[in-house]
């Protein structure tokens, strides 16, 4: 019920629930005690009255004086809770009676001696004894509805007191809950502000030196450490950015130098290669009939290697431009590359004792 509610609402609800439960438990205990006390007092009062009336009725029963017995029962008028009294003789026949209401019913014959309860009344049957001889029985009926009315009134008063106490507790909790709620709310707001703005220089306000105050100190200490680490990380990042920029400039300079060198090498090497190819081609065309087979192969190899070197120079020049081009991935066969190199080697070298094997 209190889930996801503000802490102030939870504090007020806890205070009111605790106060209400304690007041209700106290009221119920008081009501039970009052009911038990009223019932016990009414029973004891009825027993003492019955003993007194029975003792005063011995002479009337002994001398069969109904008028005297009626006068004795008439004294019950002073007892507000007793509504009926009947005196039976030794033969269990009604001898005299007193009832506040003439239409009130009563037992035709007396029951067993003792106290019984029923229909909001207490009944007593008390023996009338004189010198060890039982002369009759006294029946008294007391009304307990007044007791229950009193208990009902007490319950209404208790309910009003509980309501009044809860109202007072509510206003007091509204006043005093700030002492506990404000520090916690301040911590929560500080944490929210830090998470939103990433500003670790913010500090939570400390109110008192209690447990919440210690929590605030620990929270602020944690923020100080995080702020220090954040500053160190920021400095490291700035240093790394500076180093990356320096390395980038150095790489750019190196690429430019390599590109310039490649252009120079290309220009300086291509001219001699062209002359070599040209002279080798002239020799090969002019002496095609006069030159022996070995010389022809040598001239062809010179032309082929000169062209290969020119290709290597062009590849070197292309490699110098890679920093400005996108890389394209292509599949290549290392077996074919190795076979091409072996064929070139065998064309220029005479190898008789070495056996070459290239695995696929």
């Amino acid at each position: 019920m209190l889930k996801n509610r503000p802490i102030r609402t939870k504090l007020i609800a806890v205070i009111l629930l605790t106060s209400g439960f304690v007041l209700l438990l106290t009221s119920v205990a008081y009501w039970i005690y009052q009911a038990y006390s009223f019932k016990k007092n009414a029973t004891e009062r009825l027993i003492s009255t019955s003993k007194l009336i029975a003792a005063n009725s011995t002479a009337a029963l002994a001398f069969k004086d109904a008028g005297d017995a009626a006068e004795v029962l008439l004294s019950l008028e002073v007892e507000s809770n007793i509504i009926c009294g009947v005196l039976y003789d030794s033969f269990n026949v009604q001898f005299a009676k007193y009832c506040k209401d003439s239409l009130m019913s009563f037992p035709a014959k007396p029951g067993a001696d003792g106290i019984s309860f029923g229909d909001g009344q207490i009944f007593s049957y008390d023996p009338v004894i004189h010198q060890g001889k039982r002369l009759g029985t006294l029946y008294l009926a007391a009304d307990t509805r007044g007791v229950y009315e009193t208990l009902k009134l007490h319950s209404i008063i208790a309910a009003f007191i509980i309501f009044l106490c809860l109202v007072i507790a509510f206003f007091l909790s509204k006043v005093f809950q700030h002492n506990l709620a404000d520090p916690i709310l301040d911590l929560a707001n500080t944490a929210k502000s830090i998470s939103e703005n990433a500003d670790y220089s913010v500090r939570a306000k400390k109110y008192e030196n209690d447990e919440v105050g210690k929590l605030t100190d620990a929270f602020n200490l944690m923020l100080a450490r995080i702020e220090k680490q954040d500053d160190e990380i920021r400095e490291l990042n700035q240093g790394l950015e500076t180093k990356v920029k320096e390395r980038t400039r150095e790489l750019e300079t190196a690429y430019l130098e390599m590109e310039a060198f490649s252009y120079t090498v290309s220009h300086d090497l291509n001219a001699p290669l062209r002359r070599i190819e040209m002279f080798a081609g002239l020799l090969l065309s002019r002496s095609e009939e006069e030159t022996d087979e070995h010389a022809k192969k040598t001239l062809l190899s010179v032309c082929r290697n000169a062209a290969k070197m020119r290709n290597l120079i062009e590849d070197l020049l292309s490699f110098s431009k890679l920093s400005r081009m996108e890389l394209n991935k292509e599949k290549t066969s290392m077996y074919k590359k190795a076979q091409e190199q072996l064929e070139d080697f065998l064309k220029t070298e005479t190898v008789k004792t070495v056996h070459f094997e290239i695995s696929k």
Side-chain angles (χ1 to χ4, degrees):
M1 183 175 62
L2 296 177
K3 188 177 180 180
N4 299 326
R5 296 287 184 178
I7 188 171
R8 290 179 175 174
T9 304
K10 291 181 179 179
L11 286 173
I12 294 174
V14 168
I15 293 172
L16 292 180
L17 289 174
T18 304
S19 303
F21 178 77
V22 171
L23 289 171
L24 181 62
L25 185 63
T26 304
S27 299
V28 171
Y30 176 75
W31 190 90
I32 294 173
Y33 171 75
Q34 286 290 89
Y36 173 76
S37 298
F38 287 154
K39 186 175 181 180
K40 181 179 179 183
N41 293 335
T43 303
E44 291 177 351
R45 185 177 177 183
L46 181 62
I47 291 173
S48 61
T49 302
S50 180
K51 295 292 184 184
L52 180 60
I53 297 298
N56 293 332
S57 301
T58 55
L61 286 174
F63 294 102
K64 304 297 182 179
D65 189 350
D68 189 21
E71 289 182 2
V72 173
L73 293 177
L74 192 61
S75 63
L76 294 173
E77 287 183 338
V78 298
E79 299 292 339
S80 60
N81 62 319
I82 296 179
I83 58 176
C84 185
V86 180
L87 192 61
Y88 301 91
D89 60 14
S90 59
F91 299 102
N92 294 331
V93 178
Q94 177 188 334
F95 184 72
K97 72 171 184 176
Y98 162 78
C99 291
K100 289 185 177 180
D101 187 357
S102 59
L103 299 178
M104 186 173 296
S105 62
F106 53 88
K109 292 183 179 181
D113 295 343
I115 301 294
S116 61
F117 301 89
D119 297 331
Q121 295 178 352
I122 305 176
F123 310 102
S124 71
Y125 294 94
D126 204 19
V128 180
I129 300 174
H130 179 65
Q131 294 181 354
K133 181 181 179 181
R134 183 165 185 159
L135 302 178
T137 302
L138 175 64
Y139 163 79
L140 294 180
D143 189 6
T144 58
R145 286 177 294 183
V147 174
Y148 292 111
E149 291 295 330
T150 304
L151 291 176
K152 183 178 180 181
L153 178 61
H154 286 185
S155 301
I156 295 173
I157 295 173
F160 176 75
I161 292 174
I162 291 175
F163 174 76
L164 182 62
C165 290
L166 289 177
V167 172
I168 295 173
F170 173 76
F171 285 105
L172 289 177
S173 62
K174 289 282 287 184
V175 173
F176 294 112
Q177 54 90 21
H178 294 284
N179 295 331
L180 180 60
D182 286 350
I184 298 177
L185 289 175
D186 189 70
L187 276 175
N189 292 331
T190 303
K192 182 179 179 181
S193 174
I194 293 171
S195 63
E196 292 177 351
N197 303 321
D199 183 8
Y200 299 104
S201 63
V202 179
R203 295 294 181 269
K205 181 181 177 181
K206 182 178 179 181
Y207 290 81
E208 297 179 1
N209 290 321
D210 54 359
E211 289 80 359
V212 180
K214 293 179 181 178
L215 177 63
T216 304
D217 290 337
F219 182 75
N220 290 333
L221 180 60
M222 180 183 66
L223 288 178
R225 291 177 178 175
I226 294 175
E227 183 182 12
K228 182 179 179 182
Q229 294 174 358
D230 189 63
D231 292 339
E232 292 176 353
I233 292 173
R234 190 179 294 107
E235 291 177 359
L236 289 174
N237 288 336
Q238 291 176 353
L240 287 174
E241 290 177 359
T242 302
K243 290 182 179 179
V244 168
K245 290 179 180 179
E246 292 177 356
R247 294 294 184 270
T248 303
R249 286 195 296 269
E250 292 175 359
L251 285 173
E252 290 176 352
T253 303
Y255 278 128
L256 291 175
E257 291 176 354
M258 185 178 68
E259 189 174 353
F261 173 75
S262 298
Y263 276 114
T264 302
V265 169
S266 171
H267 181 272
D268 293 344
L269 293 182
N270 273 326
L273 283 176
R274 282 194 294 272
R275 290 189 180 91
I276 292 173
E277 286 182 329
M278 181 182 66
F279 288 127
L282 289 173
L283 286 174
L284 187 62
S285 61
R286 291 180 181 181
S287 59
E288 189 169 326
E289 297 179 356
E290 300 175 1
T291 308
D292 58 8
E293 192 67 23
H294 179 72
K296 289 181 180 180
K297 289 182 178 180
T298 303
L299 289 173
L300 288 173
S301 177
V302 169
C303 293
R304 185 168 57 253
N305 283 284
K308 185 177 181 180
M309 186 173 181
R310 186 172 65 253
N311 292 332
L312 290 175
I313 293 172
E314 292 177 356
D315 291 341
L316 179 64
L317 184 61
S318 299
F319 177 75
S320 66
K321 299 177 180 179
L322 284 178
S323 60
R324 302 180 183 179
M325 300 171 58
E326 285 190 14
L327 293 177
N328 295 321
K329 295 181 180 180
E330 294 181 358
K331 291 184 178 181
T332 185
S333 174
M334 297 304 297
Y335 173 79
K336 291 182 179 180
K337 293 292 183 184
Q339 199 171 27
E340 291 175 358
Q341 295 299 321
L342 178 60
E343 290 176 355
D344 291 342
F345 177 75
L346 292 176
K347 288 177 181 178
T348 58
E349 300 290 339
T350 302
V351 181
K352 296 181 179 180
T353 58
V354 180
H355 175 70
F356 295 93
E357 184 176 352
I358 303 174
S359 300
K360 291 185 179 179

